[in-house]
């Protein structure tokens, strides 16, 4: 839930690889998924610091995408009002 909340706030998530990470993030598009080891974290953070322009591109992608569910809630509310 924290990853989605961060995306809604316009933040670029940086996470380690966990079971549903690829379902929550488009790695290399709107966030980063690092290998869940000390070496993986080191390599990922080093790469991020050496290529800061990528972070700007990820942030632009995050800001262009709607991650909230406001539209779904509005549809649901409209259905309930008709009942």
């Amino acid at each position: 839930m924290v990853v989605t909340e961060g995306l809604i706030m316009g933040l670029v998530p940086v996470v380690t690889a966990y079971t549903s990470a690829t379902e929550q993030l488009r790695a290399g598009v709107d966030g980063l998924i690092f290998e869940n080891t000390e070496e993986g974290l080191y390599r990922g953070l080093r790469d991020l610091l050496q290529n800061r322009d990528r972070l700007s591109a990820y942030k632009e992608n995050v800001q262009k995408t709607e991650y909230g569910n406001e539209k779904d809630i509005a549809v649901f509310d409209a259905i309930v009002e008709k009942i």
Side-chain angles (χ1 to χ4, degrees):
M1 204 150 69
V2 171
V3 172
T4 304
E5 290 171 349
L7 289 165
I8 290 169
M9 293 173 51
L11 302 173
V12 177
V14 176
V15 301
T16 57
Y18 54 90
T19 306
S20 62
T22 57
E23 295 173 16
Q24 293 183 296
L25 290 177
R26 297 172 294 167
V29 177
D30 58 4
L32 296 164
I33 302 173
F34 296 157
E35 183 182 315
N36 197 6
T37 64
E38 288 180 18
E39 181 65 25
L41 289 169
Y42 170 77
R43 284 193 316 263
L45 290 171
R46 181 188 64 202
D47 183 58
L48 180 59
L49 291 172
Q50 291 175 345
N51 300 287
R52 292 176 189 236
D53 55 318
R54 290 184 191 169
L55 190 58
S56 297
Y58 302 150
K59 187 162 183 90
E60 284 180 33
N61 291 335
V62 168
Q63 292 173 344
K64 288 187 233 176
T65 306
E66 176 60 46
Y67 296 97
N69 61 355
E70 291 85 4
K71 291 178 186 175
D72 296 329
I73 291 171
V75 169
F76 178 78
D77 287 345
I79 292 170
V80 170
E81 285 180 23
K82 289 181 182 180
I83 297 177

